[in-house]
Amino acid sequence: MPDPSTIRAVECSPPCWMVRLALEEKGLDHECKLLNFAAGEHKSPEMLAKNPRGTVPVLMDGNIVVYETLAIFDYLEYAYPQPALLPNTNALRGRALTRLHEANNLKQVGMALFSYLMNTKAIDLDPAEVDHLASFLHDELFFWEYYYGIGHWASGSAIGLADLAVFAYVATAAHLGLELEQRYPNLHAFCLRMKERPSVIATWPSVWKQQPYSYLTEPES
């Protein structure tokens, strides 16, 4: 990128984290401007002029504005194809795209649970509702536990876009209390691999740094 692109993002938002991970994995010079979600900065006049839906993330690459997470992924892969985060062969690319769009199911069930946990006061949390919402997440995690039992990455032999999506949602769930090691050993191993990557270290939410990677620590022998 001749001039640094900018990404408007909200910290701890999995979709925003996915895009930040992609920019880091591709080694693209960029500036991340974090918005205050509680203050409504994502719906400011400046932001609505860029994205009338008022959602984040929003990528600005020169005069080009791209919003919607998967659209940003598509744009980055087309405009900056190396290093590739989608395989080049038809068979592997087809599987990689399938896994990426499957991750939308993880988004739907994950965000329903995350929103409830984050937006409800602790005293008002209903354990039955938490269990109900978590049951859908566990059903979805079953698929990914299987996929990561087949290989280190969701598709092919290298990290791809689907892995960035899965990690953002699983790491958020783990931060909110999901226990991975016993129930999802393959996902646990995947997260351990991811947390060593410079892209994850560079973008790890600052508000989580009081307990960095605590849920991903290897068990004591």
Side-chain angles (χ1 to χ4, degrees):
M1 297 182 181
D3 296 309
S5 286
T6 60
I7 178 76
R8 300 298 202 277
V10 171
E11 193 168 44
C12 301
S13 158
C16 294
W17 198 3
M18 289 161 56
V19 171
R20 295 183 69 192
L21 288 169
L23 289 165
E24 292 287 343
E25 288 288 338
K26 284 186 170 290
L28 297 174
D29 187 20
H30 65 281
E31 178 185 2
C32 180
K33 295 186 177 180
L34 293 176
L35 304 176
N36 186 324
F37 186 83
E41 290 182 353
H42 58 302
K43 292 186 181 292
S44 68
E46 180 222 355
M47 288 299 299
L48 291 175
K50 294 176 173 62
N51 174 9
R53 293 183 181 274
T55 58
V56 286
V58 176
L59 175 73
M60 280 141 288
D61 185 13
N63 294 326
I64 300 170
V65 178
V66 189
Y67 52 91
E68 299 295 335
T69 308
L70 295 187
I72 296 174
F73 273 2
D74 283 344
Y75 173 79
L76 291 176
E77 199 65 13
Y78 177 81
Y80 306 99
Q82 297 301 326
L85 292 174
L86 283 175
N88 292 323
T89 64
N90 287 347
L92 287 179
R93 194 178 186 90
R95 184 166 66 184
L97 288 170
T98 299
R99 295 287 181 267
L100 175 58
H101 285 269
E102 276 186 282
N104 191 57
N105 297 303
L106 187 57
K107 172 184 178 179
Q108 291 177 348
V109 296
M111 293 303 286
L113 175 61
F114 303 160
S115 296
Y116 181 74
L117 292 174
M118 293 176 176
N119 296 322
T120 306
K121 294 180 180 179
I123 195 172
D124 295 326
L125 284 174
D126 180 356
E129 181 64 12
V130 173
D131 288 345
H132 174 69
L133 293 172
S135 68
F136 296 111
L137 177 62
H138 284 296
D139 287 346
E140 180 61 27
L141 290 175
F142 169 83
F143 291 97
W144 298 99
E145 175 68 9
Y146 171 74
Y147 295 150
Y148 287 108
I150 297 173
H152 280 187
W153 306 110
S155 57
S157 59
I159 191 172
L161 294 173
D163 300 299
L164 307 185
V166 173
F167 177 74
Y169 288 106
V170 173
T172 300
H175 178 75
L176 292 173
L178 174 69
E179 201 287 322
L180 289 174
E181 186 179 351
Q182 299 300 321
R183 191 167 186 175
Y184 303 108
N186 296 328
L187 277 168
H188 176 68
F190 162 67
C191 286
L192 287 174
R193 289 191 294 276
M194 287 293 296
K195 68 100 172 181
E196 297 293 341
R197 299 188 72 84
S199 64
V200 173
I201 295 171
T203 59
W204 190 261
S206 61
V207 296
W208 293 0
K209 287 183 178 178
Q210 296 90 343
Q211 299 176 322
Y213 314 122
S214 60
Y215 65 92
L216 297 175
T217 303
E218 289 279 17
E220 295 181 2
S221 57

